[in-house]
Amino acid sequence: MYSVMIVDDEYPVKIILRDIIMNAGLQYQITAEAENGAEALLLASQIRPNLIITDIMMPVMDGLELIRNLRSRDIESEIIIVSGYNDFGYAQQAIQYGVSRYLLKPLDDRQVISYLQELQHSLQLEAQLTSGMSQWVWFCKTNGERLAEQLWALNDQEVARTLSAVQAAFAQGQLSLTLIHQCYSNLLQIVLGEISSRSDKALEASRLSLPPLNQAQPDAAAATIFMRLLEKLRQTRQHGHRRKVQEALDLVRQSYSDVELSLPYVAERVQLSASRLSGLLKEETGRSFTQLLTEIRMEQAMLLLNNASAKTYEVALEVGYSDYSYFTKAFKKYCGLTPMDYRKRMGVF
């Protein structure tokens, strides 16, 4: 049921609205009534109704002031204004505050019911979208962080592979275009946030956003946006020591399972001092040596855990952790789940 609050200082109007709502055969329940805007604001802050039906001219606090206060407190209830004043100025202000409808008294029952039907359909679709999105939040976070890493490394082939895998996952999950668009928007925000945390250079990244759903297909639009971001990064970053950094990263990826792998060892192999290599890694990747090693180990652990025959303690040893308890803590810190919970999430038993 969707909750409704009626705000009007005229009792007969409340009676009419009650009758319309209760006899409409829709999923609405009147949960609160108020005599003026001040009383309504207090109630709305407590119950946050799905819909508020309010008059404009009321004592203490009028309807427009009520709506302004509701929005300033991030109360996003749908709002219908019911007024005896056919004033364009009132209607203009109401639109600015995101009011759904401006209805004139005396009320037309059919008009009110028609809008209630539209609103109920909208609320149902929003609930479905929210529910669907919640199942993909973790997916977007993981792949967003992976994309950020690949973009920062200017690895266009890996970026293309990840985007292809993301697209395939959306297709396999039979997501609606609306949900796909929302997922790509979330991916982009995660990527921009990760890149911003690595560099204080503006890149004008904040201007990158997906076009509206009706202007382009989400898959193609997202691919274009991420490639534009890759080019921006390519144009602005410095690469004087990239070869040494790449050698170090390649060595870490080859030797991550070595429990004794350390910064001094890698630095010696690439013929740099440990402090110099540490600084270059931070400059080029935005990560410390320890962070990079942990990320590589955790990514590999996630792949190995998808094999149901592999014991979790065996996975820990395989990725360079002789202390299983420490591995479990590191894994949970990295992806928010213990190794066993990760397997359950992925359906591996």
Side-chain angles (χ1 to χ4, degrees):
M1 297 294 285
Y2 301 109
S3 58
V4 182
M5 180 167 69
I6 300 173
V7 189
D8 203 305
D9 60 334
E10 297 182 41
Y11 186 71
V13 175
K14 289 182 182 177
I15 294 295
I16 292 171
L17 284 170
R18 275 189 225 154
D19 288 343
I20 293 174
I21 294 168
M22 293 173 66
N23 295 318
L26 300 172
Q27 296 178 25
Y28 293 101
Q29 180 178 12
I30 300 170
T31 55
E33 294 183 3
E35 300 290 329
N36 57 65
E39 184 182 347
L41 182 61
L42 180 61
L43 287 169
S45 298
Q46 296 170 349
I47 65 175
R48 294 185 176 261
N50 299 109
L51 172 63
I52 297 174
I53 305 176
T54 181
D55 191 8
I56 285 186
M57 303 303 293
M58 297 180 293
V60 186
M61 180 188 292
D62 66 26
L64 291 177
E65 183 68 10
L66 164 63
I67 297 165
R68 187 185 69 77
N69 277 281
L70 288 169
R71 296 314 188 216
S72 70
R73 299 186 185 194
D74 294 325
I75 298 174
E76 299 296 333
S77 305
E78 296 289 337
I79 297 174
I80 301 176
I81 285 181
V82 177
S83 176
Y85 297 87
N86 189 7
D87 187 306
F88 182 67
Y90 284 142
Q92 273 189 316
Q93 284 184 270
I95 290 171
Q96 291 175 357
Y97 292 137
V99 169
S100 303
R101 288 290 189 278
Y102 188 103
L103 304 178
L104 292 176
K105 300 174 183 178
L107 294 172
D108 182 328
D109 291 22
R110 289 174 299 178
Q111 187 180 30
V112 176
I113 291 172
S114 175
Y115 174 63
L116 290 175
Q117 290 171 334
E118 290 176 20
L119 176 59
Q120 179 173 299
H121 180 64
S122 175
L123 290 169
Q124 289 170 338
L125 287 178
E126 182 180 344
Q128 291 171 7
L129 179 60
T130 301
S131 174
M133 191 64 233
S134 66
Q135 300 174 26
W136 290 89
V137 168
W138 185 80
F139 176 88
C140 291
K141 181 179 184 298
T142 302
N143 284 280
E145 291 171 349
R146 181 177 292 117
L147 275 170
E149 185 75 34
Q150 294 162 349
L151 286 162
W152 189 258
L154 304 180
N155 194 330
D156 51 354
Q157 292 183 342
E158 288 299 319
V159 170
R161 271 195 280 269
T162 297
L163 288 174
S164 178
V166 167
Q167 181 177 348
F170 291 161
Q172 186 176 4
Q174 298 183 325
L175 275 65
S176 67
L177 284 178
T178 301
L179 186 52
I180 291 173
H181 188 274
Q182 183 62 53
C183 282
Y184 275 126
S185 294
N186 288 358
L187 270 176
L188 181 58
Q189 291 308 309
I190 292 167
V191 167
L192 294 179
E194 287 288 315
I195 289 175
S196 296
S197 71
R198 298 177 184 211
S199 172
D200 55 5
K201 295 180 181 180
L203 292 179
E204 298 182 350
S206 60
R207 297 185 183 180
L208 296 174
S209 60
L210 286 178
L213 185 56
N214 60 356
Q215 293 183 14
Q217 288 293 310
D219 292 321
T224 299
I225 289 291
F226 284 116
M227 290 306 164
R228 281 174 55 197
L229 180 55
L230 180 62
E231 287 308 308
K232 283 179 177 290
L233 288 166
R234 200 186 302 278
Q235 292 166 14
T236 56
R237 292 191 55 212
Q238 299 298 319
H239 305 290
H241 303 281
R242 181 160 179 73
R243 184 177 62 82
K244 289 289 186 182
V245 171
Q246 192 58 54
E247 287 178 11
L249 290 174
D250 289 343
L251 181 57
V252 173
R253 291 191 182 99
Q254 294 166 12
S255 309
Y256 66 85
S257 61
D258 182 355
V259 176
E260 302 299 327
L261 188 64
S262 65
L263 174 63
Y265 171 79
V266 175
E268 183 181 356
R269 289 286 301 275
V270 299
Q271 299 180 333
L272 288 173
S273 69
S275 60
R276 182 59 174 154
L277 177 59
S278 177
L280 288 175
L281 286 171
K282 189 70 175 179
E283 179 183 330
E284 286 292 316
T285 70
R287 300 286 195 270
S288 68
F289 175 83
T290 300
Q291 288 173 321
L292 286 166
L293 178 58
T294 299
E295 288 176 6
I296 290 169
R297 284 172 166 172
M298 291 301 110
E299 289 291 322
Q300 188 63 26
M302 290 165 72
L303 291 174
L304 294 172
L305 286 168
N306 285 317
N307 181 358
S309 63
K311 303 288 192 298
T312 53
Y313 71 86
E314 293 174 339
V315 172
L317 291 172
E318 184 70 21
V319 297
Y321 289 89
S322 57
D323 186 333
Y324 178 71
S325 176
Y326 184 70
F327 166 71
T328 300
K329 291 177 182 177
F331 190 89
K332 185 173 183 180
K333 183 178 180 181
Y334 180 76
C335 74
L337 299 168
T338 66
M340 292 303 295
D341 288 338
Y342 172 80
R343 277 186 153 168
K344 290 177 183 177
R345 176 72 65 87
M346 300 301 295
V348 178
F349 301 100

